[in-house]
Amino acid sequence: MGQKHFKNYIEVNLWEDSLNSRLFADVKNVDDFYLRLSMFAGNKMGDAKDTLVFLDEIQEYPHLLTLLKFLKQGDRFTYIASGSLLGIALAKTSSIPIGSIETEHMYPLDFEEFLWANGFNEFSIQGIRNRFLSKAGLDEPMHAKMMDLFKKYLLIGGMPDAVNMFIQESNIVKVRKIQSDIKEFYAIDASKHDA
């Protein structure tokens, strides 16, 4: 998604960095961070308005959580930090940058969001909601359409990649492959934090 909205998109997977080069392991300050970032992806470091730096698995380097405050104050780029155990990392961080970070919790699509993804607009969703609240039924064609979409939602679930694949290709085999991959990758991700 960041690639769609920013001309320059820099993704730094800090878990991979911690296993390999450890380029970001000993960042001391903002200037040091920018030096290392330029060594990593200097050709993508554009203007503030067109550069997004995505720090994935930031819990690997808790000192970078504190540095986010100073990176934000410098306003050089837009930053997103994510991590599978970010809440635990925040609890262990010596200095949380209060007021400098916004927390967003990510969840799978619910049924209403699934309807949006399948072309429903707010008018149609509100109309269905109003009928439900007033205990008025849907006529047979509308009911059949909603039941068909609900059954598909139960099969596909709410993971965005699986929903997108279904919308693009209407191929449940490809959807199942994505679901299987997600399950496998989550297991691998969880196992690295087993200790």
Side-chain angles (χ1 to χ4, degrees):
M1 186 62 106
Q3 297 95 320
K4 289 182 182 179
H5 298 287
F6 290 85
K7 178 182 170 186
N8 299 299
Y9 173 76
I10 303 169
E11 180 175 344
V12 182
N13 186 314
L14 296 168
W15 181 68
E16 288 178 4
D17 184 77
S18 73
L19 297 176
N20 296 308
S21 67
R22 300 190 50 80
L23 184 62
F24 295 90
D26 296 316
V27 171
K28 304 288 186 240
N29 54 43
V30 171
D31 289 336
D32 190 28
F33 175 81
Y34 287 136
L35 174 61
R36 292 164 193 257
L37 187 65
S38 70
M39 294 171 72
F40 180 78
N43 60 328
K44 295 181 182 177
M45 293 172 69
D47 296 330
K49 66 181 182 309
D50 70 2
T51 303
L52 172 66
V53 179
F54 176 47
L55 302 171
D56 194 18
E57 301 294 348
I58 196 169
Q59 76 276 355
E60 295 299 319
Y61 298 136
H63 65 286
L64 292 182
L65 285 166
T66 303
L67 189 68
L68 284 175
K69 175 180 182 176
F70 304 104
L71 292 171
K72 183 178 184 224
Q73 287 173 349
D75 202 28
R76 184 161 178 196
F77 303 127
T78 300
Y79 298 91
I80 295 177
S82 74
S84 51
L85 293 176
L86 195 48
I88 294 169
L90 283 170
K92 293 180 179 179
T93 301
S94 60
S95 176
I96 298 172
I98 305 294
S100 298
I101 59 173
E102 296 176 26
T103 304
E104 294 290 335
H105 297 278
M106 304 295 288
Y107 301 99
L109 278 68
D110 62 22
F111 183 59
E112 183 176 324
E113 292 166 328
F114 182 80
L115 292 176
W116 288 340
N118 278 277
F120 278 62
N121 61 23
E122 187 57 37
F123 180 79
S124 60
I125 291 172
Q126 189 60 45
I128 293 166
R129 184 182 295 118
N130 290 342
R131 289 203 180 189
F132 174 79
L133 293 172
S134 66
K135 297 187 173 125
L138 299 174
D139 64 28
E140 188 56 39
M142 286 194 299
H143 179 76
K145 173 81 172 167
M146 294 306 296
M147 288 305 296
D148 178 60
L149 284 165
F150 184 65
K151 289 175 186 174
K152 288 175 180 169
Y153 176 69
L154 292 176
L155 286 171
I156 297 160
M159 298 307 287
D161 283 349
V163 173
N164 287 337
M165 177 57 70
F166 175 75
I167 290 168
Q168 291 167 8
E169 307 230 1
S170 297
N171 184 329
I172 199 68
V173 173
K174 289 184 177 181
V175 169
R176 290 288 187 226
K177 170 73 172 111
I178 288 172
Q179 291 169 332
S180 176
D181 288 348
I182 289 170
K183 181 180 176 188
E184 182 178 334
F185 293 143
Y186 270 116
I188 291 168
D189 191 49
S191 69
K192 74 182 181 195
H193 304 292
D194 196 26

